[in-house]
Amino acid sequence: MTARKPSSAPDRAATEAALMLPRPPGVVRRWWSRHPWTADSLIAAGYLLVALSVSTVEWFDVDLAAQPGRIALAVAIVGVTTLAVLLRRRRPLAMAVLVIVVGLVSVAQTVGVDAFAVPILLYSVAVYRTVALGWQAFAAAAIVAVLAPFLPWAAPHAPGEPQQTIISVVLFALFGLLIGINVGNRKRYVEALVDRAAQLARERDQQAQLAAVAERTRIAREMHDIVSHSLTVIVALSEGALATKDPTASRSAMTAVTDAARSSLVDMRRMLGVLRETGSAPLAPQPDAASIPALVETFRGLGLPVALTASGPSTDDPSILLAVHRITQEALTNALRYSERPKRVDVVITTDDEHLELIVENDGSIPDAPSLGAGQGLLGLRERVAFQGGQVTAGAVGDRLWRVHAVLPLEPRPTRTSPPTTEPRGTTP
């Protein structure tokens, strides 16, 4: 058992108040724990009165004229042991050693005024240090009690008196030690419970902070997907409307701009409603297997030559479908923003019983083209895929090809086969 530094009463009271622990029972006990110096002073004063009373009684049976130094020795021993009792909480082991050394003189000279100091100090060692140190101090006190009467410079004793002194000192010391062990173990157990409660409270607060950070990251990722995709579509449609001289085509493009802006506004209101926790924000359905072809058709309508190829068994895992939808949306949005006259943009989805593989490639990549964003889109993709336990890479392949490659693990399930479907370019999925 390792020694623990006793915590101060104000620190412990502040910890208990922060943890909202129940109030300890007993008015006297609470006052006692809040005023350690006053409590120790009262105990030292009580010990001083008892020690002086015992010494006074002994002096009636001793010829003080024949032993003039007896009173001085007794007063000195009482002063030293009273100081040790006063400082027992701050320096329990040092004060216990001091009292044992003084006890060597006291027992040898048959003064006996320190009979109560030894159990008090052994009690303090067991309470404010450790049980092992308490037993070691008790062994030292017992050895002193056994050897002191038989030292060469010891005062003469009456027949049988050394044995009585040894027994009384050992019994008093053992009594104080056992009480101290009981009280100290209870005190350390309560402190361990308070420390554990404080640790759990800190872990709870840290978990809450981590959850808040994760939620803010998720919301920022969703907001980026909404804003980036919608604004890219709006910019592309607006440029097309300005470039065409056909009033019908221009009107159709501006109608699509209006629809995209309105859809983005609805998504923004929904997300802000979640942030405000009003409980009135409508919930949109999760992407399903039909959302990817619809997404591809949207970008094809913007002039991007997108082809979708899907093979393997379908999946109905909503988290996987959402991840595939967002990855495809981000990759196609970047292709629309950064590619230069691409001739082909391929979206290839391949599934088996264990994994889903998604590849989005476009051949309009511009080497060393400056980025118009802050890179949050790709960072969000990596976080989303990592949350699913998968991997994603994005980068240039060769001179003009840009590839986004994601692999997502699937839950084990019975084997289901379906014929591969290949969607040709320029047709409705």
Side-chain angles (χ1 to χ4, degrees), residues 259-346:
D259 294 338
R262 185 177 291 109
S263 176
S264 176
L265 184 59
V266 170
D267 291 339
M268 291 284 290
R269 285 176 176 173
R270 182 183 299 112
M271 186 62 64
L272 292 176
V274 173
L275 288 176
R276 292 168 182 156
E277 297 180 349
T278 58
S280 59
L283 299 178
Q286 291 281 18
D288 54 13
S291 65
I292 304 299
L295 180 66
V296 170
E297 179 62 24
T298 300
F299 280 91
R300 187 182 296 115
L302 297 175
L304 202 63
V306 188
L308 173 64
T309 302
S311 63
S314 61
T315 179
D316 54 0
D317 188 339
S319 61
I320 296 295
L321 293 175
L322 176 61
V324 172
H325 182 92
R326 292 304 190 192
I327 295 171
T328 306
Q329 183 185 60
E330 179 66 23
L332 294 180
T333 299
N334 288 339
L336 187 63
R337 295 175 68 185
Y338 298 112
S339 63
E340 184 180 69
R341 294 186 297 275
K343 296 180 180 179
R344 66 180 183 89
V345 179
D346 294 328

Side-chain angles (χ1 to χ4, degrees), residues 320 323-324 327 354-357 385 388 390-391 406-410:
I320 296 295
V324 172
I327 295 171
E354 296 182 354
H355 299 89
L356 184 147
E357 183 180 21
V385 173
Q388 297 292 339
Q391 296 178 348
V407 178
L408 302 172
L410 300 177

Side-chain angles (χ1 to χ4, degrees), residues 4 47 71 88 135 159 169 250 265-266 400 422:
R4 292 173 57 93
Y47 166 79
I71 296 179
R88 65 186 179 87
W135 282 111
V169 170
S250 177
L265 184 59
V266 170
R400 297 280 296 178
T422 301

Side-chain angles (χ1 to χ4, degrees), residues 13-261:
T15 302
E16 292 178 353
L19 297 176
M20 295 183 292
L21 296 177
R23 191 178 187 183
V27 178
V28 176
R29 181 182 300 178
R30 293 197 299 270
W31 181 89
W32 201 267
S33 62
R34 289 196 303 266
H35 303 84
W37 268 114
T38 304
D40 291 344
S41 300
L42 292 176
I43 293 176
Y47 166 79
L48 178 62
L49 292 177
V50 173
L52 291 178
S53 300
V54 172
S55 300
T56 302
V57 172
E58 290 183 355
W59 291 339
F60 285 113
D61 299 330
V62 177
D63 186 3
L64 299 179
Q67 301 181 21
R70 187 71 176 273
I71 296 179
L73 179 61
V75 171
I77 291 176
V78 169
V80 172
T81 54
T82 302
L83 179 63
V85 171
L86 179 63
L87 301 178
R88 65 186 179 87
R89 193 190 303 263
R90 280 78 188 172
R91 299 287 186 271
L93 191 59
M95 296 300 103
V97 172
L98 178 62
V99 166
I100 291 174
V101 172
V102 171
L104 181 65
V105 179
S106 177
V107 174
Q109 297 298 321
T110 65
V111 176
V113 296
D114 63 325
F116 298 102
V118 173
I120 292 176
L121 267 298
L122 292 181
Y123 166 90
S124 301
V125 171
V127 171
Y128 301 112
R129 286 298 179 261
T130 65
V131 175
L133 288 177
W135 282 111
Q136 294 173 13
F138 169 76
I143 292 173
V144 167
V146 171
L147 298 180
F150 304 102
L151 294 176
W153 47 270
H157 296 77
E161 185 178 357
Q163 291 79 6
Q164 296 178 1
T165 302
I166 293 171
I167 293 174
S168 62
V169 170
V170 171
L171 287 180
F172 269 108
L174 182 61
F175 181 73
L177 176 63
L178 293 178
I179 296 178
I181 290 175
N182 183 41
V183 175
N185 286 340
R186 181 181 179 276
K187 177 176 178 291
R188 283 182 283 273
Y189 179 71
V190 172
E191 288 180 350
L193 291 180
V194 174
D195 291 343
R196 179 58 177 165
Q199 180 182 358
L200 291 176
R202 287 192 297 270
E203 292 178 356
R204 176 202 61 199
D205 296 340
Q206 292 172 357
Q207 291 297 329
Q209 293 174 0
L210 292 176
V213 172
E215 183 66 13
R216 285 196 297 268
T217 303
R218 185 189 68 82
I219 293 173
R221 184 170 61 240
E222 297 293 337
M223 294 288 287
H224 172 272
D225 292 341
I226 294 171
V227 174
S228 176
H229 168 68
S230 301
L231 290 182
T232 300
V233 172
I234 291 172
V235 169
L237 290 173
S238 300
E239 290 177 347
L242 291 175
T244 183
K245 297 181 179 180
D246 185 357
T248 303
S250 177
R251 182 179 181 84
S252 176
M254 294 310 298
T255 301
V257 168
T258 303
D259 294 338

